[in-house]
Amino acid sequence: MRIALSQFTSGPDPEKNLELIEDGARRAAEAGARVVVFPEASMACFGTPLAPVAEPLDGPWANEVRALAVAAGIVVVAGMFTPAPEGRVANTLLATGPGVEAAYDKIHLYDAFGYAESDTVAAGSRIVTIDVDGVRIGLATCYDVRFPELFRAHADEGAVATVLAASWGAGPGKREQWELLVRARALDATVWVAAVDQADPAAGGVVADASAPTGIGYSMVAGPDGTVRDCLGAEPGLLLADLSVDEVAAVREKTSVLANRRLGRAS
């Protein structure tokens, strides 16, 4: 199955960001992709007050994403913010398009490297997968990549791939950690990991809030053997990848890490 990763820099205006999603969905569909994944915070960049822009899943912004997905004939996965109790929001991935309607709220919040996502965001608790053309795909967001149990849970539920939407924080060693973690999650769950980050704002001439995780680029696809199959640079771009279900089966036959687990195995 062909998927696309649309790496861009979102701004604070949800309406303008819809234009980026429309363009990315159209280009991905024209290239034959069945799924296009946009970054975390596609609705509005971090560094923006989130509560005022948050909308429910049946609100205008999500409905417009649904319309764009239908018009392009492709499944769209995009990061948005939905209202949560006590004035906070949920960091939500909306997955919508032909035969697909799901939402995942980020489970692991980015309370690290001097940033406290939990100050404004409520954590999710539910593992979510989607089925596209008979292929099961898990949903994950950014800081989730540091927690291998989520990716193994996707595999336990029959997923052969996980899509990871991110707005990765910049800093010393962070690019190296990004690649290492994406590859490690692919290898220890024996799944494809298709990881799309926000483009580095500086690469596109955008001035961003330096205190917020606004992306570094370098979206990538890692195979179930942990090897990087393709990667973008820091600037905006579209990455296309063909994910083989048969390769997952072959890797799992050789590297039986899921079958050989003694701890944390699904019952």
Side-chain angles (χ1 to χ4, degrees):
M1 183 180 64
R2 177 167 292 182
I3 73 165
L5 304 181
S6 183
Q7 177 175 290
F8 64 66
T9 299
S10 64
D13 186 342
E15 291 301 316
K16 290 184 178 179
N17 294 329
L18 282 171
E19 297 175 7
L20 298 174
I21 293 173
E22 181 178 23
D23 179 67
R26 176 186 54 78
R27 292 170 58 205
E30 289 174 351
R34 297 291 295 119
V35 180
V36 57
V37 189
F38 296 91
E40 176 187 25
S42 289
M43 182 188 204
C45 60
F46 285 114
T48 302
L50 299 180
V53 301
E55 294 183 9
L57 286 168
D58 60 355
W61 197 87
N63 283 336
E64 186 60 29
V65 174
R66 291 185 181 96
L68 297 176
V70 169
I74 193 171
V75 174
V76 171
V77 179
M80 63 177 294
F81 300 102
T82 55
E86 300 177 352
R88 295 193 291 175
V89 304
N91 187 340
T92 301
L93 281 185
L94 171 66
T96 186
V100 172
E101 186 62 40
Y104 165 71
D105 291 339
K106 185 179 181 181
I107 293 174
H108 302 99
L109 300 184
Y110 183 61
D111 288 358
F113 295 94
Y115 189 82
E117 186 177 11
S118 63
D119 285 349
T120 54
V121 177
S125 60
R126 189 170 59 93
I127 295 164
V128 178
T129 62
I130 59 174
D131 292 324
V132 181
D133 298 340
V135 177
R136 184 156 293 177
I137 301 169
L139 303 182
T141 303
C142 204
Y143 193 54
D144 281 335
V145 76
R146 294 183 181 271
F147 301 89
E149 55 270 25
L150 176 60
F151 293 74
R152 289 176 177 147
H154 292 160
D156 287 338
E157 294 198 3
V160 297
T162 293
V163 295
L164 175 74
S167 186
W168 198 250
K174 291 299 295 295
R175 176 184 165 189
E176 291 79 5
Q177 291 176 33
W178 167 251
E179 179 177 331
L180 174 64
L181 290 162
V182 171
R183 296 180 64 187
R185 297 298 80 82
L187 184 60
D188 55 29
T190 52
V191 294
W192 292 89
V193 176
V196 59
D197 190 23
Q198 292 262 354
D200 183 344
V206 176
V207 178
D209 182 349
S211 66
T214 53
I216 63 168
Y218 297 97
S219 299
M220 70 181 69
V221 173
D225 60 353
T227 60
V228 175
R229 305 302 175 86
D230 206 350
C231 181
L232 295 177
E235 66 283 348
L238 186 73
L239 188 156
L240 297 166
D242 294 313
L243 310 188
S244 167
V245 175
D246 291 341
E247 184 175 348
V248 172
V251 170
R252 288 179 180 175
E253 184 176 357
K254 293 179 181 178
T255 309
S256 305
V257 292
L258 296 177
N260 293 340
R261 279 177 296 169
R262 301 294 296 275
L263 300 173
R265 186 173 183 176
S267 58

